[in-house]
Amino acid sequence: SKVSMTSNKSLNVKQILQETWQSGGGVRAFYTGLSLPLMAQAIYKATIFSVNNFCRNILMEFKTRECAGINSMNNNYPLLTTTDLFWCGFIGGAVNAAIFVTPVEYVRNQLIIKQQLSSTREFKMGKDTSKNKKLFHHCRRISPLDVIRSTILSGGGISQLWRGVGLTVARDSIGCGVYFVSMTLCQKNLSPTNDNKPPSFGVTLVSGMCAGIGFWVVALPLDTLKTWIQTTTTNGNILLNSINKHGLLRTTQNLYR
């Protein structure tokens, strides 16, 4: 998992998968912390696309009035620029991240870390894999409510659930801005010229792929850094500490793991 990769920087993908499988109880361990983010996806997408469309409509209305004031005989509708598209997506991603994504991902990351520690202890107690799996399945599962309760009662209060909010907002705002720009530009350039029909399935598919790649190219380093913050209790600047300990090149590589 992403959390395992960032919390165990010395291990590669194969070692992480093997350790998770053996100490976590098989396939089930790869889906630790899934329930809450899965249920939140509907809210995530509804918020991003609603805010994005709202901002686009406001801009279109403003530009239409502006054009009408300059030339009342001009019946052409104004078009949104690439910058307009970016900022509409930026605002949509920022609102969603600030309100919903940060606490949900904090709880998910804490679930993974706590379950990983619990499973590792159980694994060390069992000498064979079959016995370990039995121990894992019979041990008490940690729920999202357990994480929320322990976080609030630990002294940090409810605001602790929003730890890493700055990086989460930066990740999703920039990422969503790039996403909507990439999606629109790809659909425009891949569709036939002077064709007012909706994009074909193939064009939409390729455009979605490009948009997704664009999102994670800019968002992945921020996502990794955010995960570091949400899964550690270390004080101070985590990025600078990593650079001082591992060097700039190694830190950059770890940010893209």
Side-chain angles (χ1 to χ4, degrees), residues 19-26 118-139:
E19 182 182 288
T20 303
W21 178 275
Q22 292 178 343
S23 66
S118 175
S119 300
T120 301
R121 286 195 295 266
E122 297 289 350
F123 176 70
K124 290 179 179 179
M125 291 171 61
K127 293 184 180 180
D128 60 86
T129 306
S130 59
K131 183 178 179 181
N132 176 63
K133 287 184 178 181
K134 291 179 181 179
L135 284 168
F136 176 83
H137 287 298
H138 285 89
C139 70

Short mmCIF file of all heavy atoms in Angstrom, two decimals, residues 19-26 118-139:
data_model
loop_
_atom_site.label_atom_id
_atom_site.label_comp_id
_atom_site.label_asym_id
_atom_site.label_seq_id
_atom_site.Cartn_x
_atom_site.Cartn_y
_atom_site.Cartn_z
N GLU A 19 5.46 -8.76 2.63
CA GLU A 19 5.29 -8.53 4.06
C GLU A 19 3.82 -8.33 4.41
O GLU A 19 3.33 -8.85 5.42
CB GLU A 19 6.11 -7.31 4.49
CG GLU A 19 6.02 -7.03 5.99
CD GLU A 19 6.81 -5.79 6.37
OE1 GLU A 19 8.04 -5.84 6.38
OE2 GLU A 19 6.16 -4.76 6.65
N THR A 20 3.11 -7.56 3.56
CA THR A 20 1.69 -7.31 3.81
C THR A 20 0.89 -8.60 3.74
O THR A 20 0.01 -8.86 4.56
CB THR A 20 1.14 -6.30 2.79
OG1 THR A 20 1.89 -5.08 2.87
CG2 THR A 20 -0.32 -5.98 3.07
N TRP A 21 1.19 -9.43 2.75
CA TRP A 21 0.48 -10.70 2.57
C TRP A 21 0.71 -11.64 3.76
O TRP A 21 -0.22 -12.23 4.28
CB TRP A 21 0.94 -11.35 1.27
CG TRP A 21 0.31 -12.70 1.03
CD1 TRP A 21 0.72 -13.92 1.50
CD2 TRP A 21 -0.88 -12.96 0.27
NE1 TRP A 21 -0.12 -14.91 1.07
CE2 TRP A 21 -1.11 -14.36 0.32
CE3 TRP A 21 -1.75 -12.16 -0.46
CZ2 TRP A 21 -2.18 -14.96 -0.34
CZ3 TRP A 21 -2.82 -12.76 -1.11
CH2 TRP A 21 -3.02 -14.13 -1.05
N GLN A 22 1.98 -11.75 4.19
CA GLN A 22 2.33 -12.71 5.23
C GLN A 22 1.88 -12.25 6.62
O GLN A 22 1.35 -13.04 7.39
CB GLN A 22 3.84 -12.96 5.23
CG GLN A 22 4.32 -13.71 3.99
CD GLN A 22 5.83 -13.90 3.99
OE1 GLN A 22 6.55 -13.22 4.72
NE2 GLN A 22 6.31 -14.81 3.16
N SER A 23 2.10 -10.98 6.92
CA SER A 23 1.79 -10.51 8.27
C SER A 23 0.39 -9.96 8.41
O SER A 23 -0.11 -9.78 9.52
CB SER A 23 2.80 -9.42 8.69
OG SER A 23 2.64 -8.27 7.88
N GLY A 24 -0.26 -9.68 7.27
CA GLY A 24 -1.57 -9.05 7.32
C GLY A 24 -2.75 -9.97 7.14
O GLY A 24 -3.89 -9.55 7.24
N GLY A 25 -2.52 -11.23 6.82
CA GLY A 25 -3.63 -12.16 6.69
C GLY A 25 -4.13 -12.34 5.28
O GLY A 25 -5.31 -12.61 5.07
N GLY A 26 -3.26 -12.15 4.28
CA GLY A 26 -3.64 -12.41 2.90
C GLY A 26 -4.23 -11.21 2.19
O GLY A 26 -3.92 -10.06 2.49
N SER A 118 -0.56 -4.00 14.51
CA SER A 118 -1.25 -5.09 15.20
C SER A 118 -0.99 -6.43 14.51
O SER A 118 -0.71 -7.43 15.16
CB SER A 118 -2.75 -4.80 15.23
OG SER A 118 -3.45 -5.89 15.79
N SER A 119 -1.06 -6.42 13.18
CA SER A 119 -0.86 -7.66 12.42
C SER A 119 0.58 -8.14 12.52
O SER A 119 0.84 -9.34 12.56
CB SER A 119 -1.23 -7.42 10.95
OG SER A 119 -2.57 -7.04 10.84
N THR A 120 1.52 -7.19 12.55
CA THR A 120 2.93 -7.55 12.66
C THR A 120 3.21 -8.24 13.99
O THR A 120 3.94 -9.23 14.06
CB THR A 120 3.82 -6.31 12.51
OG1 THR A 120 3.57 -5.71 11.24
CG2 THR A 120 5.29 -6.69 12.60
N ARG A 121 2.59 -7.73 15.06
CA ARG A 121 2.76 -8.35 16.37
C ARG A 121 2.18 -9.77 16.38
O ARG A 121 2.78 -10.70 16.92
CB ARG A 121 2.09 -7.50 17.45
CG ARG A 121 2.85 -6.22 17.80
CD ARG A 121 2.34 -5.63 19.09
NE ARG A 121 0.96 -5.20 18.95
CZ ARG A 121 0.60 -3.97 18.63
NH1 ARG A 121 1.52 -3.06 18.37
NH2 ARG A 121 -0.67 -3.65 18.53
N GLU A 122 0.99 -9.91 15.76
CA GLU A 122 0.38 -11.23 15.70
C GLU A 122 1.23 -12.19 14.86
O GLU A 122 1.37 -13.37 15.18
CB GLU A 122 -1.03 -11.13 15.08
CG GLU A 122 -2.00 -10.30 15.89
CD GLU A 122 -2.41 -11.02 17.17
OE1 GLU A 122 -2.07 -12.21 17.30
OE2 GLU A 122 -3.03 -10.39 18.03
N PHE A 123 1.83 -11.63 13.79
CA PHE A 123 2.66 -12.46 12.91
C PHE A 123 3.90 -12.97 13.64
O PHE A 123 4.30 -14.12 13.49
CB PHE A 123 3.07 -11.64 11.69
CG PHE A 123 4.00 -12.37 10.76
CD1 PHE A 123 3.56 -13.44 10.01
CD2 PHE A 123 5.33 -11.98 10.65
CE1 PHE A 123 4.41 -14.11 9.15
CE2 PHE A 123 6.20 -12.64 9.80
CZ PHE A 123 5.74 -13.71 9.05
N LYS A 124 4.50 -12.13 14.44
CA LYS A 124 5.69 -12.53 15.18
C LYS A 124 5.36 -13.59 16.24
O LYS A 124 6.21 -14.40 16.61
CB LYS A 124 6.33 -11.31 15.84
CG LYS A 124 6.97 -10.36 14.83
CD LYS A 124 7.56 -9.14 15.51
CE LYS A 124 8.22 -8.22 14.49
NZ LYS A 124 8.79 -7.00 15.12
N MET A 125 4.13 -13.59 16.73
CA MET A 125 3.71 -14.59 17.71
C MET A 125 3.48 -15.95 17.05
O MET A 125 3.68 -16.98 17.67
CB MET A 125 2.42 -14.13 18.41
CG MET A 125 2.61 -12.93 19.31
SD MET A 125 1.02 -12.30 19.90
CE MET A 125 0.42 -13.75 20.77
N GLY A 126 3.05 -15.94 15.79
CA GLY A 126 2.79 -17.19 15.07
C GLY A 126 3.99 -17.58 14.24
O GLY A 126 4.53 -16.77 13.52
N LYS A 127 4.39 -18.83 14.29
CA LYS A 127 5.59 -19.26 13.58
C LYS A 127 5.29 -19.69 12.15
O LYS A 127 6.17 -19.70 11.31
CB LYS A 127 6.25 -20.43 14.33
CG LYS A 127 6.83 -20.01 15.66
CD LYS A 127 7.56 -21.16 16.33
CE LYS A 127 8.15 -20.74 17.68
NZ LYS A 127 8.87 -21.85 18.34
N ASP A 128 4.06 -20.10 11.85
CA ASP A 128 3.75 -20.47 10.48
C ASP A 128 2.64 -19.60 9.93
O ASP A 128 1.85 -19.02 10.67
CB ASP A 128 3.35 -21.95 10.39
CG ASP A 128 2.12 -22.25 11.23
OD1 ASP A 128 1.01 -22.05 10.72
OD2 ASP A 128 2.30 -22.66 12.41
N THR A 129 2.57 -19.50 8.60
CA THR A 129 1.63 -18.60 7.95
C THR A 129 0.19 -18.95 8.24
O THR A 129 -0.65 -18.08 8.47
CB THR A 129 1.87 -18.63 6.43
OG1 THR A 129 3.23 -18.34 6.16
CG2 THR A 129 0.99 -17.59 5.73
N SER A 130 -0.16 -20.24 8.22
CA SER A 130 -1.54 -20.64 8.45
C SER A 130 -2.00 -20.25 9.85
O SER A 130 -3.12 -19.78 10.03
CB SER A 130 -1.68 -22.16 8.27
OG SER A 130 -0.83 -22.85 9.17
N LYS A 131 -1.14 -20.44 10.83
CA LYS A 131 -1.49 -20.05 12.20
C LYS A 131 -1.63 -18.54 12.30
O LYS A 131 -2.53 -18.03 12.96
CB LYS A 131 -0.41 -20.54 13.16
CG LYS A 131 -0.73 -20.24 14.63
CD LYS A 131 0.36 -20.78 15.54
CE LYS A 131 0.04 -20.46 17.00
NZ LYS A 131 1.09 -20.96 17.90
N ASN A 132 -0.75 -17.82 11.60
CA ASN A 132 -0.81 -16.36 11.62
C ASN A 132 -2.11 -15.85 11.03
O ASN A 132 -2.72 -14.90 11.54
CB ASN A 132 0.37 -15.79 10.84
CG ASN A 132 0.31 -14.28 10.73
OD1 ASN A 132 0.38 -13.61 11.74
ND2 ASN A 132 0.15 -13.76 9.53
N LYS A 133 -2.57 -16.47 9.93
CA LYS A 133 -3.82 -16.03 9.31
C LYS A 133 -5.00 -16.23 10.25
O LYS A 133 -5.91 -15.41 10.33
CB LYS A 133 -4.05 -16.78 8.00
CG LYS A 133 -3.12 -16.33 6.88
CD LYS A 133 -3.45 -17.03 5.56
CE LYS A 133 -2.55 -16.52 4.45
NZ LYS A 133 -2.84 -17.16 3.15
N LYS A 134 -4.98 -17.33 11.00
CA LYS A 134 -6.04 -17.56 11.96
C LYS A 134 -6.02 -16.51 13.05
O LYS A 134 -7.06 -15.99 13.47
CB LYS A 134 -5.89 -18.96 12.59
CG LYS A 134 -6.16 -20.09 11.61
CD LYS A 134 -5.98 -21.45 12.28
CE LYS A 134 -6.23 -22.58 11.30
NZ LYS A 134 -6.03 -23.90 11.93
N LEU A 135 -4.81 -16.17 13.51
CA LEU A 135 -4.69 -15.12 14.52
C LEU A 135 -5.22 -13.80 13.98
O LEU A 135 -5.91 -13.06 14.67
CB LEU A 135 -3.22 -14.97 14.94
CG LEU A 135 -2.65 -16.05 15.86
CD1 LEU A 135 -1.13 -15.92 15.93
CD2 LEU A 135 -3.27 -15.97 17.24
N PHE A 136 -4.88 -13.50 12.72
CA PHE A 136 -5.29 -12.22 12.13
C PHE A 136 -6.81 -12.13 12.04
O PHE A 136 -7.41 -11.12 12.37
CB PHE A 136 -4.67 -12.08 10.73
CG PHE A 136 -5.11 -10.84 10.00
CD1 PHE A 136 -4.49 -9.62 10.24
CD2 PHE A 136 -6.16 -10.90 9.09
CE1 PHE A 136 -4.90 -8.48 9.57
CE2 PHE A 136 -6.56 -9.76 8.42
CZ PHE A 136 -5.93 -8.56 8.66
N HIS A 137 -7.43 -13.19 11.57
CA HIS A 137 -8.87 -13.15 11.36
C HIS A 137 -9.65 -13.12 12.66
O HIS A 137 -10.79 -12.65 12.70
CB HIS A 137 -9.31 -14.34 10.52
CG HIS A 137 -8.90 -14.22 9.08
ND1 HIS A 137 -9.35 -13.20 8.26
CD2 HIS A 137 -8.07 -14.98 8.30
CE1 HIS A 137 -8.85 -13.35 7.04
NE2 HIS A 137 -8.06 -14.40 7.04
N HIS A 138 -9.03 -13.62 13.75
CA HIS A 138 -9.74 -13.64 15.02
C HIS A 138 -9.43 -12.43 15.90
O HIS A 138 -10.10 -12.20 16.89
CB HIS A 138 -9.41 -14.93 15.78
CG HIS A 138 -10.09 -16.13 15.21
ND1 HIS A 138 -9.53 -16.88 14.21
CD2 HIS A 138 -11.31 -16.69 15.48
CE1 HIS A 138 -10.37 -17.89 13.90
NE2 HIS A 138 -11.44 -17.79 14.65
N CYS A 139 -8.39 -11.67 15.53
CA CYS A 139 -8.07 -10.50 16.34
C CYS A 139 -9.08 -9.38 16.07
O CYS A 139 -9.70 -9.33 15.03
CB CYS A 139 -6.64 -10.00 16.07
SG CYS A 139 -6.41 -9.25 14.44
#
